[in-house]
Amino acid sequence: MDTHAAPEQPQHDAIACGPPIRQLFRDVIADRLPDRMPLQAAMLFDSETDPAWDERTSLAEFYNEILHQDTCQPYTAEGLALLAALAVDDRIPARHRFQAVDLLFRTATVAERHLAETWPATPQHADPDSEARACKAVQLHTPDLLARWPAECPQFSWPSPASPSSFRRTTPCPP
């Protein structure tokens, strides 16, 4: 028997592995959507996540699950609830809230952007029903996003008719 063998390494909880932003996203989603987890939430809660992922890689994969290669899928609209929850929660750093809002609005405009890129032809990979459902889902979340507008830091909130510049906060964003 080898007495110099290394002790068995404990199994790591794969959910705890990975960048801290993943844990923060999970906490926010669990608090805000406890009863209705969209399919894409598995990227945050699945125990089989690569522990070597860094923040950028894991977020790119998560966002890609919602809007895959700038194309709406039948499940895209449900995943937008995740982005909306992240976009309005103060626990999420401003730059990540901005990324969530950016992806929400890019999703809402997929159909128009694809038509503009391929006009007069029809986009090859278009899914008009999924695109319409996604756009409607974003419209449903827009009032919550606009309600936050006056309180957002200047780097996050660009000029908007719903929030005159006189109502904008002048303090910088927290890190």
Side-chain angles (χ1 to χ4, degrees):
M1 177 169 189
D2 184 4
T3 58
H4 299 327
E8 185 176 323
Q9 295 297 318
Q11 288 282 358
H12 291 285
D13 178 5
I15 292 176
C17 292
I21 195 70
R22 182 172 180 248
Q23 178 64 47
L24 181 58
F25 277 28
R26 282 187 15 231
D27 292 345
V28 168
I29 297 303
D31 290 349
R32 291 188 171 265
L33 303 172
D35 299 328
R36 49 186 188 114
M37 290 283 181
L39 175 69
Q40 298 91 337
M43 287 294 297
L44 302 174
F45 292 92
D46 191 3
S47 62
E48 294 187 22
T49 300
D50 185 350
W53 277 359
D54 61 9
E55 181 175 304
R56 185 178 187 153
T57 304
S58 63
L59 292 180
E61 290 291 325
F62 172 65
Y63 295 146
N64 191 47
E65 283 294 309
I66 296 171
L67 185 63
H68 182 69
Q69 297 182 349
D70 206 34
T71 304
C72 291
Q73 306 290 328
Y75 53 85
T76 299
E78 290 80 24
L80 297 175
L82 298 168
L83 295 176
L86 296 171
V88 298
D89 197 291
D90 287 327
R91 292 174 286 180
I92 301 298
R95 69 185 168 111
H96 294 296
R97 290 194 318 271
F98 181 80
Q99 288 172 343
V101 169
D102 179 58
L103 189 55
L104 280 166
F105 289 118
R106 282 193 299 126
T107 304
T109 61
V110 162
E112 290 81 5
R113 288 185 293 110
H114 287 173
L115 285 172
E117 291 168 0
T118 61
W119 189 85
T122 303
Q124 287 182 332
H125 302 289
D127 180 347
D129 292 335
S130 295
E131 292 167 357
R133 283 194 312 277
C135 185
K136 184 160 181 75
V138 172
Q139 289 172 345
L140 292 172
H141 295 293
T142 300
D144 293 335
L145 298 171
L146 290 175
R148 289 187 52 87
W149 217 258
E152 282 296 352
C153 60
Q155 292 89 339
F156 183 97
S157 61
W158 54 84
S160 161
S163 86
S165 59
S166 61
F167 290 99
R168 286 228 217 104
R169 186 169 83 189
T170 57
T171 58
C173 289

